[in-house]
Amino acid sequence: MTKDHNLKVILGEEKYNQIHNSKVLLVGAGGIGCELLKDLVLLGFGEIHVVDLDTIDLSNLNRQFLFRHKDIKQPKSTTAIKAVSGFNFHNSKLVPYQNSIYETDVFPLTWFDSFDLIFNALDNAEARSYINKIGLFLNKTILETGTTGTKGYVQATIPGQSACYDCTFRETPKTFPVCTIRSTPSQPVHCVHWAKNFLFSSLFGEDDDSVEDNSLEGKDASELGTDNQEELQALMKESNELIELKRSIVDESFEDKVIEKIFVKDIENLLKIEELWQQRTKPTPINYTPEYKAEILKITKEQLGTGQKLWTLEQNLSVLISSIRNLQARYSATTPIEFDKDDEDTLDFVVASTNIRSHIFNIPLKSKFDIKSIAGNIIPAVATTNAFIAGFSSLLSLGIFNNPDAFKDTRAIFASEAKDRFLSSGELDHPNPKCSACSVTRGVANIDLSLTFRQLIDALVEKYGYDEEIALSVGSKILYDLDLDDNVEKSFTELKVKYGDHLEILDETDVKGTVELYIETNTDGKITLPELVIPDKPKPVEEKKSEEDEDDDDDLEVFEENDEDELLIVEEKSIVSSVGGKRKLEDAEDNEPKKVKV
Ligand SMILES: Nc1ncnc2c1ncn2[C@@H]1O[C@H](COP(=O)(O)OP(=O)(O)OP(=O)(O)O)[C@@H](O)[C@H]1O
Ligand SMILES: [Zn+2]
């Protein structure tokens, strides 16, 4: 019996044929992408195009199972395709590209339009948003996936029906107030941040390093986390002394000077600011004497054991001293050293100084392994999560093909560490009316770039009935509005507008809703605008917080219970948001980028 026969029995003849005659795009051939490519090939998709800009690294091999050691430095897309060719039982046509998906000359809009479905297997929000917009321009469904460790999601975005990728708010990486990092740390992560971004960069980075935490200038009280003048003076003095200290980097006594300043004198100075310690446990400076140092220097490498072990204060001091010696030997003013989690000297310095500071501030110490994860912002990828998330993505695609009820029939899948259930599903959300991506009317314009903005404005006025009070922008650049009419006589080319740009038209009279045009180009001397129905701009409504809304502010989000599946999903917002899963809708507009006039 042939493999085709088996698949026909499982899928049914009709679905088998639909899949066999379809053409799909897979963006990303990393952790999820490798799994997904295997699934799509085994499901017998007719044509599968795979895009990945990257080459294979050693660190990919533990989970990107299509790659072997011999493939290191080879392109991911071609290598993945070669690997699945061994089990391409249904003769799918496989096409690789080693390019970034943004390359409009390789991937013009018409190319995207040739696919029946797009599978995202990406690792960054920017590329996901880009594909999301392409889907909105073309009215094409995207199956979006993401994983972080044991958490993950699959979400179909069906233009005009379901919420899009940008309908939901994504948190930006967490930052800490300067005073928490510099004077009152209370968690290991505060000490890691201090050791890596402040201490290491100040001592071994570039001389004029504009390390965020080195400078207190230009920061307001909320960023600083304090307006205590005494504390700010102390922090300023501390930084200046560090610059001074760096001058003796070549001296033999440098290690002692660093330890005595950082872990003794600076702490004694902080203790003098009594206000800081009224509600907090006081830090305790270390007692660094020549005798103590002599004992520390007796500690051997063997005694330190593996990176999983918790080191004592003395062991941390011994690691600090040897890392300082190694870094001193490597340092020269012209070749500053950058922190790299895979550079043992820089990592040892950060691990040891983190732990010594933690000891001083009564914070639990951490192993080298744990600090490496925090300092390198690493959440280990889990092959199993990638495998089942990819599996769900490919299975959901079967229900989406040729299905006018896809919105109703498709579930969103989530994996989380909720106590009662690891995997769960929910209905697709409706679009968020405030979404900066899908609340916009979209179309494709065909423009001869030698024409001027004046000609575009005339065409817009004529076609859509705007009066001239409009603002035109591309990305973050405003190219025209009533106060900025210097550009009107310039051509598109002069204004560096090119194929594939997204031109936004904002009605400054606040009547019409926003429009975004994908720019395709021609040389026929014309501007051809799409037929669009532009809805009026929604009137701003005074939002009154109901009791129910207030409940939403809790850390836990409860998803709708579904009669059929009896699914109750409870997820921590902060967790799912980091991989782009179910997030709060209300704040999507905060994702909107700031624009500047040019
Ligand atoms: N703009 C883009 N165009 C094409 N491919 C992209 C783009 N952005 C990201 N990718 C690809 O998406 C894939 C995501 O896979 P994954 O999350 O496993 O990341 P990785 O880089 O392989 O792993 P890690 O980051 O853990 O080393 C990567 O192979 C990456 O090269
Ligand atoms: Zn949206």
Side-chain angles (χ1 to χ4, degrees):
M1 236 185 290
T2 64
K3 297 254 177 349
D4 274 345
H5 175 80
N6 293 344
L7 200 55
K8 277 181 198 163
V9 171
I10 296 166
L11 297 177
E13 190 97 20
E14 192 189 341
K15 185 59 75 185
Y16 172 88
N17 286 332
Q18 276 172 10
I19 301 289
H20 200 62
N21 293 322
S22 66
K23 178 175 171 186
V24 295
L25 169 62
L26 169 59
V27 194
I32 300 177
C34 281
E35 291 286 343
L36 202 42
L37 179 59
K38 171 254 297 169
D39 296 340
L40 300 181
V41 165
L42 290 177
L43 278 172
F45 277 87
E47 212 174 301
I48 308 167
H49 291 233
V50 182
V51 177
D52 198 301
L53 50 76
D54 213 358
T55 53
I56 296 158
D57 276 338
L58 174 67
S59 65
N60 298 147
L61 300 185
N62 66 342
R63 64 191 189 287
Q64 297 176 23
F65 77 105
L66 297 177
F67 308 142
R68 295 289 175 270
H69 200 276
K70 65 175 170 37
D71 301 323
I72 289 171
K73 299 269 168 288
Q74 295 302 312
K76 286 183 170 178
S77 55
T78 43
T79 313
I81 281 182
K82 241 185 256 162
V84 297
S85 300
F87 51 86
N88 185 6
F89 306 125
H90 313 291
N91 291 323
S92 303
K93 180 177 172 190
L94 303 168
V95 187
Y97 305 81
Q98 193 197 354
N99 301 85
S100 169
I101 199 66
Y102 309 126
E103 289 178 37
T104 49
D105 47 345
V106 188
F107 308 125
L109 199 62
T110 42
W111 177 82
F112 283 104
D113 206 15
S114 69
F115 297 102
D116 297 304
L117 192 61
I118 300 176
F119 292 89
N120 265 359
L122 286 157
D123 59 354
N124 62 87
E126 198 189 348
R128 287 181 168 115
S129 285
Y130 182 80
I131 299 285
N132 181 54
K133 275 201 183 179
I134 295 284
L136 293 169
F137 275 119
L138 294 173
N139 204 14
K140 206 163 284 293
T141 297
I142 295 160
L143 269 159
E144 160 60 26
T145 49
T147 63
T148 300
T150 53
K151 301 168 192 75
Y153 68 92
V154 187
Q155 217 163 5
T157 59
I158 308 175
Q161 298 183 57
S162 76
C164 81
Y165 175 70
D166 284 317
C167 272
T168 43
F169 173 67
R170 279 181 299 287
E171 280 169 25
T172 46
K174 199 164 171 45
T175 57
F176 300 103
V178 174
C179 73
T180 306
I181 301 300
R182 296 275 302 274
S183 16
T184 52
S186 58
Q187 297 171 22
V189 65
H190 299 154
C191 298
V192 176
H193 194 91
W194 169 88
K196 179 184 142 189
N197 296 347
F198 173 65
L199 187 63
F200 180 84
S201 315
S202 303
L203 291 179
F204 301 106
E206 275 177 52
D207 273 348
D208 59 346
D209 220 343
S210 56
V211 181
E212 51 181 305
D213 294 330
N214 280 0
S215 165
L216 307 179
E217 277 168 35
K219 292 199 165 78
D220 60 23
S222 67
E223 285 170 281
L224 293 169
T226 183
D227 54 5
N228 181 329
Q229 288 310 310
E230 205 184 345
E231 185 184 356
L232 291 174
Q233 292 292 331
L235 294 182
M236 205 84 96
K237 189 160 167 270
E238 220 178 66
S239 298
N240 292 337
E241 286 170 355
L242 210 52
I243 295 169
E244 198 59 38
L245 182 63
K246 193 177 175 179
R247 299 215 171 100
S248 57
I249 199 164
V250 289
D251 296 358
E252 225 175 87
S253 60
F254 183 62
E255 63 203 34
D256 295 333
K257 285 187 182 162
V258 170
I259 294 173
E260 276 155 12
K261 171 181 158 46
I262 304 294
F263 300 117
V264 184
K265 215 175 113 223
D266 284 353
I267 305 298
E268 287 170 353
N269 286 337
L270 272 179
L271 281 166
K272 288 184 198 149
I273 312 170
E274 286 174 10
E275 206 185 297
L276 291 181
W277 314 112
Q278 280 164 2
Q279 314 277 342
R280 296 185 180 93
T281 312
K282 287 183 180 176
T284 318
I286 63 167
N287 189 10
Y288 189 66
T289 61
E291 299 74 41
Y292 186 52
K293 182 177 180 186
E295 288 306 309
I296 287 165
L297 291 180
K298 286 183 195 155
I299 295 171
T300 62
K301 254 198 156 154
E302 288 66 43
Q303 286 170 315
L304 296 174
T306 68
Q308 312 274 359
K309 210 183 128 196
L310 272 191
W311 293 332
T312 61
L313 175 65
E314 289 71 29
Q315 286 174 328
N316 276 296
L317 279 160
S318 103
V319 172
L320 182 71
I321 291 170
S322 63
S323 67
I324 291 178
R325 288 178 184 176
N326 293 345
L327 290 165
Q328 258 182 310
R330 287 169 52 183
Y331 182 87
S332 85
T334 48
T335 52
I337 307 169
E338 262 183 47
F339 172 80
D340 178 348
K341 65 179 170 38
D342 297 319
D343 176 335
E344 284 296 307
D345 296 332
T346 67
L347 180 64
D348 279 345
F349 179 92
V350 167
V351 171
S353 35
T354 294
N355 275 334
I356 300 166
R357 186 165 172 90
S358 292
H359 171 88
I360 289 170
F361 282 89
N362 305 297
I363 297 166
L365 306 200
K366 291 268 172 192
S367 69
K368 179 171 172 175
F369 181 81
D370 285 344
I371 293 175
K372 182 176 178 178
S373 302
I374 301 170
N377 298 325
I378 306 165
I379 299 173
V382 176
T384 315
T385 320
N386 287 340
F388 67 71
I389 286 296
F392 277 115
S393 179
S394 60
L395 286 178
L396 287 179
S397 72
L398 302 177
I400 287 175
F401 265 100
N402 283 7
N403 180 1
D405 293 327
F407 174 71
K408 191 165 61 60
D409 293 347
T410 308
R411 313 282 297 171
I413 309 286
F414 301 96
S416 72
E417 281 169 359
K419 278 196 202 82
D420 52 348
R421 203 169 263 126
F422 180 60
L423 257 183
S424 44
S425 75
E427 287 174 1
L428 296 184
D429 275 321
H430 287 282
N432 173 11
K434 287 185 185 171
C435 172
S436 61
C438 69
S439 67
V440 165
T441 307
R442 288 176 189 277
V444 182
N446 211 297
I447 295 175
D448 183 330
L449 298 181
S450 66
L451 300 179
T452 64
F453 252 47
R454 160 62 50 213
Q455 285 162 301
L456 171 68
I457 294 159
D458 291 346
L460 290 169
V461 169
E462 190 188 320
K463 180 96 184 172
Y464 304 126
Y466 286 110
D467 63 25
E468 294 211 359
E469 285 188 50
I470 52 175
L472 302 175
S473 55
V474 170
S476 59
K477 288 187 240 156
I478 299 176
L479 297 172
Y480 168 83
D481 69 14
L482 275 191
D483 304 327
L484 179 83
D485 55 3
D486 313 3
N487 288 338
V488 280
E489 299 311 332
K490 290 187 187 155
S491 71
F492 287 85
T493 310
E494 277 174 279
L495 289 169
K496 300 198 167 54
V497 177
K498 54 183 190 319
Y499 179 94
D501 279 348
H502 303 174
L503 180 85
E504 188 188 88
I505 305 152
L506 200 80
D507 183 358
E508 301 219 285
T509 61
D510 273 348
V511 176
K512 292 182 189 299
T514 303
V515 172
E516 203 160 86
L517 300 177
Y518 188 101
I519 298 192
E520 293 203 318
T521 54
N522 66 57
T523 48
D524 63 3
K526 286 195 203 144
I527 293 176
T528 310
L529 297 173
E531 297 303 328
L532 296 176
V533 180
I534 308 173
D536 283 351
K537 192 174 177 167
K539 300 270 168 292
V541 246
E542 278 276 309
E543 274 183 42
K544 209 171 148 262
K545 257 199 162 195
S546 69
E547 268 173 40
E548 231 172 81
D549 287 341
E550 270 158 26
D551 282 351
D552 276 347
D553 290 339
D554 290 343
D555 274 343
L556 292 178
E557 214 178 1
V558 181
F559 294 176
E560 262 178 40
E561 207 167 346
N562 179 284
D563 292 336
E564 203 183 315
D565 300 354
E566 290 187 305
L567 288 176
L568 175 69
I569 307 155
V570 184
E571 301 206 86
E572 255 181 74
K573 259 189 304 180
S574 57
I575 293 170
V576 263
S577 65
S578 66
V579 290
K582 188 129 182 168
R583 297 148 292 170
K584 278 186 89 86
L585 296 181
E586 300 87 83
D587 308 321
E589 61 189 350
D590 292 354
N591 279 347
E592 232 173 315
K594 300 259 173 300
K595 293 191 187 288
V596 289
K597 297 196 179 194
V598 292

